[in-house]
Amino acid sequence: MRKTLFKIHSWVALIAIIPLIVISITGSVLVFKSEIDGLLMPNSHFVVKALPERLPIDKLIAKTERTYPNYIVVSWEIFNDDTADRVYLIKRGTEQWAKLHLNQYTGDILSEPVGTSHYFTDWFLELHYTFLLNDFKNLPGQTGTVLGFFFAVFLLVLGISGLIIYRKFWRRLFSVRWRATLQIVLSDIHKMTGVLGSPIIIILAITGGYFNWAVWYHEVIEHAQEEHYVLTNPLYSHDISLQQILDDSKKQISTFNGTFLVLPLEPDENITLFGEVSTTNPLASEYANTITYSKLTGEHMANWDIREVGIGWQVIDSFRKLHFGYFAGLVSKVLWAVIGLSPVWLAGTGFYLWLTRRARKKQSRQNRLNKRRTANP
């Protein structure tokens, strides 16, 4: 069994070596996405002066759509600190998404609408989970997403098989034979890095694979027999006050704080407000809870409180913080970034070890052949 697992481990690593290096490097960088955005983006785009009160969101949406009449606001990321709100739009009559930044306290629009992968970290995110393949016209629409899922599975296989193959290495985990040959030293470091990093690598593989699968399932399975609805006008009644919805949400779920407002994109959808609540679960995400309102009347329809659902849903919700590693602040982010880079080192040392084993086997075969020739001239 160990020999079979070793072969599987080796061949999976060889097949997926380049994509896994791309995923590893981009993922480690994206752990610090918000910090990098703060450094690279103009302060006028990203940081605002926090004031005691936000402007009503109805006024903010109205100003955005007056300023850019060719666009429809479809979702709104809400911040109550010094981070500017992020507004997501769709160009009328198309499927072109865009986003801009807006000062939620003054109503000032801080940036022009740009594509959702316009900024460096957004482009890096697209590279991370689709390899930039989804936009290729000659490929099916979700090619990159599907490939990302399969490479996440490969990473999961590598993590699990490595733990099984080197399960006895725990006995001398930090004992690297530094005075041995280069091959032995690299072999020990490879094993130590893999054994230490595998638990986190397995978490990243499971969560990343789930995200890619969820996108593929929504786009390919749920919409397999239908075209995407093309927006020409908002699908909710303009008689509705979205600010009243935000205010009412605090009454629907105790300690609820709205973080993301999603307006209907298709005729059968309603208005959904995502948010966070006070909870003892450190892995509960800022989008864990939802409250739904009618797009025609604004009346409350349903609540989803992460504190009241089954453990399965709570585990899935935890995937966001577990994948991006921000559940324990800077400490967990640094750890996730370092371990996230370990596949790069594992790929390099593993490839070297594979080449040396291959050369040694080839030399061994040649030696046996020479012996036969000497014995039978």
Side-chain angles (χ1 to χ4, degrees):
M1 178 181 173
R2 187 176 180 276
K3 289 182 178 180
T4 301
L5 274 178
F6 188 82
K7 289 182 179 179
I8 293 172
H9 186 87
S10 300
W11 281 109
V12 168
L14 287 171
I15 292 169
I17 185 170
I18 300 300
L20 290 183
I21 287 175
V22 172
I23 291 172
S24 173
I25 294 173
T26 55
S28 291
V29 172
L30 288 168
V31 167
F32 297 100
K33 185 179 188 303
S34 60
E35 289 84 356
I36 295 171
D37 282 341
L39 290 173
L40 297 183
M41 293 172 63
N43 281 342
S44 59
H45 285 28
F46 192 71
V47 180
V48 297
K49 181 181 179 181
L51 298 176
E53 295 291 334
R54 295 170 50 95
L55 289 178
I57 198 166
D58 300 302
K59 290 185 177 180
L60 299 176
I61 290 176
K63 180 174 181 179
T64 303
E65 293 187 338
R66 281 199 311 271
T67 306
Y68 300 104
N70 291 330
Y71 288 89
I72 301 170
V73 173
V74 290
S75 58
W76 197 287
E77 194 164 6
I78 302 166
F79 294 97
N80 294 311
D81 52 19
D82 61 354
T83 303
D85 277 11
R86 284 192 281 267
V87 184
Y88 294 87
L89 314 97
I90 289 182
K91 195 169 186 178
R92 292 179 188 269
T94 74
E95 294 185 27
Q96 296 178 24
W97 281 72
K99 74 173 182 178
L100 59 80
H101 298 84
L102 179 143
N103 187 323
Q104 59 271 37
Y105 305 104
T106 66
D108 294 333
I109 295 175
L110 306 177
S111 64
E112 298 287 323
V114 296
T116 53
S117 59
H118 172 80
Y119 297 108
F120 169 74
T121 55
D122 294 326
W123 178 85
F124 230 48
L125 181 62
E126 191 76 14
L127 175 63
H128 178 70
Y129 83 94
T130 71
F131 306 103
L132 306 179
L133 295 177
N134 280 3
D135 294 331
F136 276 63
K137 294 182 179 179
N138 295 328
L139 296 174
Q142 294 298 317
T143 298
T145 305
V146 173
L147 286 176
F149 168 78
F150 280 109
F151 287 123
V153 172
F154 289 166
L155 187 60
L156 179 62
V157 170
L158 289 172
I160 294 174
S161 61
L163 278 178
I164 296 173
I165 294 168
Y166 301 121
R167 61 189 181 277
K168 294 182 180 180
F169 193 75
W170 284 103
R171 299 173 185 172
R172 52 183 182 86
L173 184 57
F174 296 102
S175 301
V176 177
R177 292 166 286 181
W178 295 107
R179 296 183 179 181
T181 63
L182 177 62
Q183 181 181 351
I184 292 175
V185 171
L186 290 180
S187 176
D188 284 353
I189 294 176
H190 182 90
K191 295 171 186 175
M192 181 178 68
T193 305
V195 170
L196 287 173
S198 282
I200 293 177
I201 293 299
I202 289 171
I203 290 172
L204 294 175
I206 292 173
T207 54
Y210 171 81
F211 290 142
N212 278 56
W213 173 84
V215 171
W216 172 82
Y217 182 84
H218 174 76
E219 294 293 333
V220 176
I221 302 299
E222 292 186 347
H223 294 281
Q225 305 299 325
E226 59 188 51
E227 296 290 333
H228 281 182
Y229 185 83
V230 177
L231 283 175
T232 55
N233 288 294
L235 294 177
Y236 65 96
S237 171
H238 278 296
D239 294 331
I240 294 173
S241 169
L242 296 174
Q243 184 59 48
Q244 286 185 8
I245 286 177
L246 293 180
D247 295 339
D248 180 76
S249 67
K250 299 180 183 299
K251 304 173 185 176
Q252 297 297 334
I253 298 179
S254 63
T255 71
F256 182 85
N257 176 47
T259 57
F260 204 84
L261 176 66
V262 179
L263 301 172
L265 292 169
E266 298 183 7
D268 60 346
E269 294 179 349
N270 284 288
I271 299 169
T272 303
L273 180 61
F274 291 79
E276 57 191 356
V277 294
S278 297
T279 174
T280 56
N281 179 8
L283 297 178
S285 78
E286 58 270 44
Y287 310 110
N289 305 264
T290 62
I291 305 177
T292 306
Y293 292 87
S294 168
K295 66 181 177 183
L296 299 178
T297 65
E299 293 181 358
H300 171 258
M301 297 178 66
N303 294 340
W304 175 272
D305 190 338
I306 195 65
R307 297 166 297 187
E308 299 176 358
V309 298
I311 187 65
W313 289 110
Q314 294 184 37
V315 169
I316 291 174
D317 175 66
S318 73
F319 282 5
R320 181 177 180 84
K321 285 189 174 180
L322 284 174
H323 191 73
F324 293 101
Y326 61 96
F327 54 89
L330 184 61
V331 173
S332 59
K333 293 176 81 167
V334 170
L335 179 62
W336 251 235
V338 172
I339 298 297
L341 279 174
S342 64
V344 177
W345 172 256
L346 291 169
T349 54
F351 187 67
Y352 173 82
L353 294 171
W354 177 78
L355 285 177
T356 54
R357 281 195 302 270
R358 189 179 181 187
R360 190 170 63 250
K361 288 179 180 179
K362 185 177 180 180
Q363 185 61 50
S364 178
R365 285 195 299 267
Q366 186 62 46
N367 291 340
R368 287 196 299 270
L369 182 59
N370 290 340
K371 286 181 180 180
R372 292 195 193 103
R373 288 174 178 172
T374 303
N376 301 289

